[in-house]
Amino acid sequence: MRFTELNRINTWRHIFACLVTSALFFTFFVSLCHAASPFLGETGSLDASWRVFLVSSDTSPFEEGGKAQLASNDVVALAQSFLDLGVPGDDITVVSSKSVNSCQNIGAPTKENIESAFETFCDSLHQSDDVFVYFSGYGVQTTETFESFFIPDDVQVGDLTELRATSVSLNEAISRLIATPARLKWFALDVCRENKTIELSESDQEQLVGSFFIDDDDWPEEFVYLQGCDKNQVAIEWNAQGHSLFALALLAALQSDNNPINLKDEPVTLGRILNYVSNETLELAQKYSRAERRPVHNLQPYFRFERGIDRTLLHEFTVDGWSRDDRELLDFFEKDALELLKQGQVDKVNDVFEGVTNPDIKETEAYRHVSVELERAKAHAAVDTVRNQRRERAQRAYDNTRQALKNDDLLVAREQIALAVKDAPEKTEYRQLQNDVDQRVARARSDAYKSAVQAYREQDYDQAERYNRIALSYTPNDETLLNLKDRIAKGRAKAQKEAEENDKALVDKRREAEEECYLARTKLSREDYQGARELVETAVVNFPEDEKYAALLDEIVTRQEEAVQSEYQQALIAFESGDLTGAEERLARALTISPEDQDSLSLKKRIAKARGVEEPSAPEQESEPKPTVRQRPPRQRGASYSGNAGDLMIKTIAGVDVKFRWCPPGEFLMGSPQEEEERSPNETLHRVVLTRGFWLAETETTQALWNAVMGGNASTIRDPKFPVDSVSWYDCRKFIDIINSRSEFDEPGYIYALPTEAQWEYACRAGTQTPFSFGAEFDSAKANSNGLIPYGNKTKTRSVGRATEVGSYPANRWGLVDMHGNVWEWTNDWYEYNYYQTKDAAKDPTGPSSGSNRVLRGGGWLNFAKNSRSANRYSSNPSYSGVRFGFRLALVDDATVAQ
């Protein structure tokens, strides 16, 4: 199996522990000796009540085809060794893809099997039990909380949350084992995480660490933690032997026939056994790969165990009047300590130094010499630590600056780069980046100030205050900006006073509208439809947002049409039966109801002709046309339209001609393939079928159209030929509701709407499958995006740095322009990260039924080229009116619109 680096642990501390500790491990590794020990019988079997729990998983989510090939072999061999030593099979639990005869085989190592079996195992433990737990396979560990997880066979890797939810918590497993009443608890971990590519987002990847180690200074003394190798070391599988090196060392300790250590003349201690496993692994690593691999454990030096361990297990012996442990300590100070200090291994020496309790050792010249040199080395190390901390802090601030620039957050960038330069003023690249940030801040401040002044001149005080506030965020004490702030406040106060005066006129106008509608209802009751209609039409024009006026007008128009149609039909029947007088009477009533009814006027001419009288033509009259409340699109442009993709239709909305392009029914591949450069995981490639064609505006909605409908706009650059921007999703819906209330379609069921996300990408691609509709490489001559961050050809191109007039760039195959760049375009769909992995996305998808954000597409003038790709998905709160947010109209079957 493959192993990861371990978290930092002090190697000398463990070497020291291996040399001086003696205790509990003898109850586990039987075969290391047949010497006198309370836990070994005469035959070399285990006298203690041993309970064993073994887990292996061959699954790796970190690379395609990754396998911990030998994990199951290790578990099978360990289980057999315990059986050979006399542990009953009922006391050995195995969770592995391979089973072991006579043991309790739980089955495949799924999350449910592992957790359920381990809980049952822990519940069954008693005070007389000695426990050995062994996990072998892959794991993952987080950076912030250092939680450690074992990867089962059924792990799911969609994102970090899902990975953690479907893995087994090793922290919880250790806590559960410690809480049991067992007298001795071993937890051996042959687990790591691979430093390979994992299918997670960048933010999730940043929460993972390459090293893997579980450490806790508060573990009880009856708990022993052992892991396969030290930090910055990768454990090794020995394929020829069929096991990992760490497992081979454990097996050698368990199999007495192969035990190379002769302990007959020396007592067995916990330190000696741990030292044996460590040295055996090291020797195997050097033999197999000429590398250093040494297991680590949680044990402290010998003195720690004097507090709570049975002294009968501490087999002390002496050499030349010194205990073996003390002699090894003295040798350390005489031979190794000073050399380690020269190598900069201060912590390793300090750990051993602090563990000395024997006063005789403290009186030696070697110990005193080391203490002096250690203090000098610690002082130098402290200086180096501070210097390194400042360098690391400066590098983090530098990286934060670059990330802030990517996010267009200049304030954070300026703050972070100042910290970086302060901590590392000698770094040229830091000072250069600071100059670049300062220049960008100055430009942003200047642009915001100019926009604020322009808005102030146009008496748009909300926009003026907004831009001036942005400028002040860059230079809070700027006198020019503070003076402009005062002028804006005064202008707002003046405008508010004028508005209050206008409110009275508006109230009077509203009262007049109410009176007109009251009179209209009276005229309607008297069947004076034309008079009633004229009164209400005036109210609708003055108050288009008021639904009750529109509803009353609909009622009058409907009743008028029904009445005139009834009279016309009776007149037609009388005319066809030869009753010209009766026909004339009915026709007179019809024309009274609607003087301009064309059917009635036509019949009137036929009656006059039948009497032999020529109807004089009415003189042309010049009169100002009345406001148009409703208009009908051409009948041939309805659902039955069967023309070619890109056919042109021109609609007049509020007096502005709007060009629409036909997008026929069809199917296409939505999303991006895995190999597309700079794609995102939410762009799942899938086939979509659109059963209904639709019309899509050739350009984004212009300020000219927005002003005609809404009476003004909050766009950054005011120009009728520019796209409207700074609009929220709700603003777009309000705009569309207004024009739908003024339109009446011959083909029922068709309305103006925002396109669905699928309709937008279908129209954007126009039959292509490349990242852009114009190919695989970005060229700022083809779209208004930030060409300074290249795509495809990796060549920087110019960046306009603002929105441009609609239609300034070439159209795609269906005649649609600005589908890439200029302004982001709102669509109708709610946003869901994995929505396009569901079956609902296959046919006429309308997005999720609910959510918190709405989808935007197409990228904007300030965004990198990758954001303008056909498949790129973005979302925002529907109430947010971003300065680069716009939209384009669609004319669709209302069955395709999700509310």
Side-chain angles (χ1 to χ4, degrees):
M1 66 203 75
R2 296 179 185 273
F3 290 73
T4 188
E5 301 176 352
L6 302 177
N7 281 342
R8 188 176 69 84
I9 186 167
N10 193 306
T11 303
W12 272 100
R13 186 177 182 180
H14 296 129
I15 292 176
F16 178 55
C18 292
L19 294 173
V20 302
T21 58
S22 58
L24 303 171
F25 204 132
F26 181 52
T27 64
F28 165 53
F29 292 108
V30 176
S31 61
L32 288 182
C33 80
H34 298 286
S37 172
F39 295 108
L40 286 181
E42 294 298 329
T43 62
S45 62
L46 294 171
D47 274 355
S49 176
W50 275 95
R51 302 291 302 281
V52 181
F53 189 87
L54 308 172
V55 181
S56 70
S57 174
D58 297 335
T59 295
S60 169
F62 303 108
E63 60 175 333
E64 184 177 355
K67 291 290 183 181
Q69 301 288 353
L70 305 182
S72 297
N73 292 353
D74 297 342
V75 163
V76 171
L78 285 171
Q80 190 59 53
S81 295
F82 276 104
L83 288 172
D84 294 343
L85 289 169
V87 178
D90 290 343
D91 291 338
I92 302 175
T93 301
V94 177
V95 188
S96 174
S97 59
K98 296 182 180 180
S99 60
V100 183
N101 293 336
S102 303
C103 295
Q104 293 194 62
N105 294 288
I106 302 302
T110 63
K111 176 180 172 66
E112 181 178 0
N113 282 351
I114 296 172
E115 292 181 343
S116 175
F118 191 69
E119 186 66 25
T120 302
F121 177 80
C122 290
D123 287 342
S124 67
L125 298 177
H126 302 287
Q127 291 181 349
S128 61
D129 290 333
D130 293 333
V131 181
F132 177 70
V133 175
Y134 178 77
F135 277 78
S136 179
Y138 283 94
V140 68
Q141 190 171 52
T142 62
T143 55
E144 295 181 359
T145 59
F146 288 96
E147 299 172 275
S148 304
F149 298 91
F150 181 75
I151 303 299
D153 275 3
D154 57 344
V155 68
Q156 299 293 319
V157 187
D159 55 25
L160 181 57
T161 300
E162 185 176 31
L163 175 64
R164 295 171 65 181
T166 58
S167 300
V168 176
S169 172
L170 291 171
N171 301 75
E172 293 179 6
I174 290 175
S175 298
R176 182 68 181 90
L177 180 62
I178 291 175
T180 65
R183 65 176 179 174
L184 177 62
K185 304 151 188 178
W186 285 88
F187 197 97
L189 194 61
D190 208 353
V191 172
C192 71
R193 70 156 287 217
E194 277 283 6
N195 292 324
K196 302 291 185 182
T197 301
I198 182 172
E199 291 294 332
L200 293 177
S201 66
E202 291 183 4
S203 59
D204 284 347
Q205 281 277 21
E206 290 173 358
Q207 296 186 50
L208 302 180
V209 293
S211 300
F212 188 103
F213 186 68
I214 305 174
D215 196 6
D216 191 332
D217 291 336
D218 295 327
W219 276 335
E221 293 176 351
E222 70 272 12
F223 177 80
V224 179
Y225 171 82
L226 182 63
Q227 181 158 319
C229 60
D230 204 347
K231 184 184 178 184
N232 299 324
Q233 297 178 351
V234 179
I236 303 171
E237 290 181 335
W238 196 343
N239 293 328
Q241 297 294 326
H243 298 289
S244 73
L245 302 184
F246 178 58
L248 286 172
L250 291 177
L251 290 170
L254 285 173
Q255 297 167 357
S256 59
D257 292 341
N258 298 323
N259 190 340
I261 298 182
N262 183 359
L263 301 176
K264 293 182 179 180
D265 299 329
E266 296 180 359
V268 177
T269 67
L270 181 60
R272 287 182 57 78
I273 296 174
L274 290 177
N275 191 49
Y276 162 70
V277 175
S278 179
N279 289 336
E280 180 70 7
T281 304
L282 178 61
E283 289 182 11
L284 290 172
Q286 292 173 340
K287 177 181 179 181
Y288 174 69
S289 64
R290 297 182 181 179
E292 180 177 342
R293 299 292 184 272
R294 186 184 298 277
V296 292
H297 52 79
N298 66 309
L299 299 181
Q300 301 295 324
Y302 166 82
F303 70 92
R304 175 178 179 180
F305 296 93
E306 293 183 338
R307 296 196 301 272
I309 300 300
D310 186 350
R311 286 301 299 247
T312 63
L313 299 181
L314 303 177
H315 301 280
E316 296 189 54
F317 52 95
T318 63
V319 177
D320 298 332
W322 291 84
S323 72
R324 174 64 60 88
D325 293 338
D326 286 345
R327 166 55 61 189
E328 291 176 347
L329 269 177
L330 188 58
D331 288 345
F332 171 79
F333 288 116
E334 291 175 343
K335 299 177 181 178
D336 301 325
L338 294 178
E339 182 63 29
L340 287 174
L341 289 177
K342 291 180 182 179
Q343 297 173 5
Q345 305 294 325
V346 179
D347 289 340
K348 292 181 180 180
V349 176
N350 189 64
D351 284 345
V352 179
F353 185 84
E354 291 182 349
V356 175
T357 58
N358 189 329
D360 293 336
I361 293 178
K362 295 182 178 180
E363 292 298 323
T364 64
E365 181 64 26
Y367 178 88
R368 287 195 293 268
H369 187 195
V370 169
S371 67
V372 172
E373 294 301 320
L374 177 61
E375 290 302 318
R376 183 180 291 111
K378 286 167 68 175
H380 288 296
V383 173
D384 291 340
T385 298
V386 172
R387 183 182 296 111
N388 290 335
Q389 287 175 346
R390 292 183 63 182
R391 289 173 180 171
E392 292 173 0
R393 189 167 61 230
Q395 183 62 44
R396 285 196 301 271
Y398 177 74
D399 294 340
N400 291 340
T401 302
R402 295 180 63 86
Q403 185 60 45
L405 290 177
K406 290 182 180 180
N407 298 335
D408 297 332
D409 195 339
L410 295 179
L411 292 177
V412 172
R414 183 172 63 179
E415 173 188 347
Q416 290 296 312
I417 195 60
L419 294 176
V421 171
K422 179 180 178 182
D423 283 333
E426 72 281 0
K427 287 280 190 176
T428 304
E429 61 267 34
Y430 292 0
R431 295 197 302 272
Q432 290 175 344
L433 184 58
Q434 186 178 44
N435 292 335
D436 180 52
V437 170
D438 289 342
Q439 291 174 8
R440 294 178 63 171
V441 167
R443 287 197 300 269
R445 181 265 181 202
S446 177
D447 291 344
Y449 172 70
K450 291 176 182 178
S451 297
V453 171
Q454 181 64 27
Y456 171 77
R457 290 172 179 171
E458 295 175 0
Q459 297 184 2
D460 188 346
Y461 300 112
D462 288 339
Q463 282 290 82
E465 184 178 37
R466 175 184 167 213
Y467 282 115
N468 196 55
R469 188 164 55 248
I470 293 173
L472 280 168
S473 68
Y474 299 125
T475 52
N477 299 319
D478 191 299
E479 289 294 334
T480 302
L481 297 175
L482 293 174
N483 290 337
L484 180 58
K485 180 179 179 180
D486 293 339
R487 290 160 58 194
I488 292 171
K490 292 177 181 178
R492 184 192 297 278
K494 181 180 178 182
Q496 185 174 359
K497 182 177 180 181
E498 293 175 352
E500 291 173 355
E501 295 174 353
N502 292 333
D503 282 346
K504 184 177 183 303
L506 184 61
V507 169
D508 293 340
K509 196 172 184 179
R510 173 73 72 175
R511 184 183 301 109
E512 181 180 345
E514 292 290 339
E515 292 174 354
E516 288 173 344
C517 288
Y518 177 79
L519 293 175
R521 292 187 183 91
T522 302
K523 289 180 179 291
L524 183 61
S525 66
R526 298 174 182 173
E527 299 185 352
D528 183 0
Y529 302 106
Q530 191 63 24
R533 181 171 176 172
E534 291 175 356
L535 288 171
V536 177
E537 281 181 346
T538 303
V540 169
V541 170
N542 290 333
F543 300 99
E545 75 285 353
D546 200 322
E547 294 182 358
K548 66 180 179 179
Y549 297 148
L552 178 57
L553 182 59
D554 283 341
E555 179 185 355
I556 293 172
V557 170
T558 300
R559 290 180 60 179
Q560 182 183 28
E561 290 177 350
E562 290 173 351
V564 74
Q565 186 67 18
S566 176
E567 295 296 341
Y568 167 74
Q569 291 294 336
Q570 292 298 325
L572 183 60
I573 292 171
F575 173 73
E576 290 177 348
S577 65
D579 183 3
L580 298 181
T581 302
E584 287 176 335
E585 292 176 354
R586 289 286 186 177
L587 196 58
R589 284 198 289 271
L591 289 171
T592 300
I593 295 170
S594 180
E596 298 178 358
D597 184 66
Q598 296 300 315
D599 291 337
S600 298
L601 292 172
S602 178
L603 182 56
K604 183 177 179 181
K605 292 180 180 180
R606 293 173 62 188
I607 293 173
K609 186 175 181 181
R611 289 188 180 277
V613 178
E614 288 294 335
E615 187 77 12
S617 57
E620 295 184 0
Q621 295 183 359
E622 295 184 0
S623 60
E624 183 178 349
K626 296 180 179 178
T628 301
V629 178
R630 296 178 181 272
Q631 64 182 42
R632 303 171 184 266
R635 182 181 298 274
Q636 69 271 23
R637 302 300 189 182
S640 61
Y641 186 74
S642 57
N644 298 320
D647 281 357
L648 176 65
M649 177 182 70
I650 301 178
K651 293 288 301 165
T652 301
I653 303 174
V656 178
D657 288 342
V658 181
K659 295 180 180 180
F660 287 85
R661 295 288 179 174
W662 174 245
C663 303
E667 63 179 82
F668 74 110
L669 284 176
M670 184 174 181
S672 61
Q674 291 288 340
E675 63 272 13
E676 183 165 310
E677 187 176 0
E678 299 189 71
R679 72 183 298 272
S680 296
N682 66 352
E683 300 170 11
T684 304
L685 189 66
H686 61 287
R687 188 166 296 279
V688 172
V689 177
L690 299 178
T691 61
R692 302 176 180 88
F694 58 96
W695 294 91
L696 189 65
E698 183 178 293
T699 72
E700 311 97 305
T701 299
T702 62
Q703 295 180 37
L705 179 58
W706 183 274
N707 291 338
V709 175
M710 306 297 287
N713 78 92
S715 296
T716 307
I717 300 176
R718 305 296 176 80
D719 190 312
K721 295 181 181 180
F722 275 50
V724 67
D725 62 55
S726 303
V727 292
S728 68
W729 186 90
Y730 290 118
D731 293 335
C732 301
R733 282 300 303 268
K734 181 177 180 181
F735 174 90
I736 290 171
D737 289 343
I738 291 175
I739 64 174
N740 275 328
S741 72
R742 299 182 186 180
S743 301
E744 182 174 316
F745 297 98
D746 287 336
E747 294 290 342
Y750 279 75
I751 59 175
Y752 289 101
L754 291 172
T756 65
E757 187 177 8
Q759 287 173 337
W760 190 97
E761 185 170 333
Y762 177 61
C764 176
R765 290 191 178 279
T768 65
Q769 200 57 41
T770 49
F772 305 92
S773 63
F774 47 75
E777 296 182 349
F778 174 78
D779 184 346
S780 60
K782 298 177 181 177
N784 183 14
S785 292
N786 191 342
L788 299 178
I789 307 299
Y791 183 92
N793 58 13
K794 303 301 182 185
T795 300
K796 290 185 179 181
T797 53
R798 68 181 182 85
S799 180
V800 177
R802 57 171 176 78
T804 53
E805 181 180 326
V806 299
S808 298
Y809 295 85
N812 68 8
R813 295 179 180 179
W814 291 357
L816 298 164
V817 299
D818 293 340
M819 296 299 284
H820 304 290
N822 217 14
V823 293
W824 286 96
E825 298 180 18
W826 287 105
T827 69
N828 198 65
D829 294 16
W830 287 109
Y831 175 76
E832 182 179 306
Y833 186 87
N834 292 325
Y835 174 73
Y836 286 106
Q837 296 178 7
T838 67
K839 63 181 180 180
D840 296 337
K843 183 177 180 181
D844 294 325
T846 58
S849 59
S850 61
S852 58
N853 284 5
R854 294 280 185 172
V855 177
L856 294 109
R857 288 299 206 106
W861 57 266
L862 185 58
N863 298 94
F864 305 155
K866 69 175 184 177
N867 298 116
S868 298
R869 294 176 299 109
S870 300
N872 185 66
R873 305 178 69 209
Y874 183 61
S875 69
S876 182
N877 188 288
S879 63
Y880 178 60
S881 55
V883 295
R884 298 184 298 278
F885 290 1
F887 71 106
R888 73 175 69 212
L889 282 173
L891 185 58
V892 302
D893 184 331
D894 62 1
T896 66
V897 179
Q899 299 300 320

